[in-house]
Amino acid sequence: MARPLGNRQLGQSFWPDLGNLLSAVRRAMWITLVNFVRKPVTVHYPEVKRVYPDRFRGVLALTYDKETGEENCIGCRLCEYICPPQVIKVEMLKAEKRNFAKVFTLELYACEFCELCVQVCPTDAIIMMKSFDLATSDRRELLLDKDRLHTIGLQFDPSWATGNGLRNMQTPPKAPPAEHAKAEGTAAKAEGKAE
Ligand code: SF4
Ligand code: SF4
């Protein structure tokens, strides 16, 4: 005799349940088969490097001036002031022609990769690289000083974003040239008289 099972009898639910089970197994086996013959998407890092997008926000670095070879950082501390988790520390060194950063440290282990420091830098001195390749089991290695930041800047490909590049991109379109504006004004006056 069938045992009561809630509102249904056990004998009544067996065949529908078995059908559902077999259908689920068939679907799972199909997905397994499709993935078995599919081309793998796994990248065998670090032998194979993935190509990153131009605006990839990777590790931070300091740059040199390509023409003079001088450090681009003028020690203005704007990046230090803007940084939300306050992981940048800068000390300015005043010099005759321009200023430098006497001390520049960045605690990369606490960085949010928000890019705000890059956005405010007036001299494109701090940038992001198209790499995250600084994995380590010792957090102290991610306390980056000025020399290490400059080395990273030479080691990896830079991201597209620089302070000046980002600010130019966000600048509103320029007003039309004076002559064009004058011509438009005359035309508007003429229209007004005609009415
Ligand atoms: S990316 Fe953001 S969190 Fe990281 S150092 Fe720059 S401002 Fe600070
Ligand atoms: S990296 Fe840029 S914003 Fe930061 S101190 Fe140097 S010049 Fe100023």
Side-chain angles (χ1 to χ4, degrees):
M1 198 177 86
R3 268 191 303 126
L5 187 74
N7 292 333
R8 294 181 304 173
Q9 299 293 312
L10 183 60
Q12 288 173 344
S13 69
F14 177 75
W15 294 110
D17 285 352
L18 183 65
N20 288 340
L21 179 68
L22 290 175
S23 153
V25 169
R26 201 181 62 231
R27 277 202 310 275
M29 292 309 289
W30 173 248
I31 290 169
T32 306
L33 184 69
V34 167
N35 282 293
F36 190 70
V37 293
R38 199 179 59 167
K39 199 171 157 220
V41 291
T42 316
V43 173
H44 290 269
Y45 179 85
E47 286 83 24
V48 180
K49 295 271 165 68
R50 197 185 281 278
V51 178
Y52 297 112
D54 277 350
R55 274 201 71 178
F56 185 77
R57 291 186 186 181
V59 291
L60 286 147
L62 289 175
T63 60
Y64 292 107
D65 187 311
K66 285 197 182 87
E67 285 168 17
T68 62
E70 281 189 350
E71 296 170 6
N72 277 329
C73 179
I74 53 172
C76 68
R77 299 182 68 198
L78 283 178
C79 53
E80 180 181 325
Y81 294 131
I82 197 87
C83 177
Q86 301 184 342
V87 298
I88 299 178
K89 295 280 172 291
V90 185
E91 277 179 38
M92 184 194 274
L93 173 70
K94 288 190 182 278
E96 207 171 295
K97 289 189 182 157
R98 51 158 289 188
N99 299 328
F100 293 89
K102 184 166 78 175
V103 176
F104 195 114
T105 58
L106 196 154
E107 299 164 77
L108 196 68
Y109 47 78
C111 170
E112 295 172 354
F113 296 91
C114 63
E115 204 190 44
L116 286 176
C117 53
V118 177
Q119 289 180 25
V120 297
C121 181
T123 57
D124 297 345
I126 187 164
I127 56 168
M128 286 178 146
M129 312 307 287
K130 285 198 262 180
S131 177
F132 59 88
D133 202 353
L134 284 189
T136 174
S137 55
D138 188 347
R139 283 166 64 92
R140 286 170 296 185
E141 288 181 23
L142 297 179
L143 173 57
L144 308 176
D145 62 11
K146 201 173 86 167
D147 289 344
R148 184 98 189 276
L149 285 160
H150 277 119
T151 307
I152 294 169
L154 300 173
Q155 194 177 352
F156 303 111
D157 290 334
S159 159
W160 168 87
T162 60
N164 282 307
L166 289 163
R167 285 188 295 277
N168 288 344
M169 191 180 75
Q170 290 163 9
T171 307
K174 284 186 184 143
E179 278 182 22
H180 184 60
K182 208 171 150 188
E184 274 188 356
T186 316
K189 268 187 199 165
E191 271 178 26
K193 275 182 191 168
E195 280 170 13

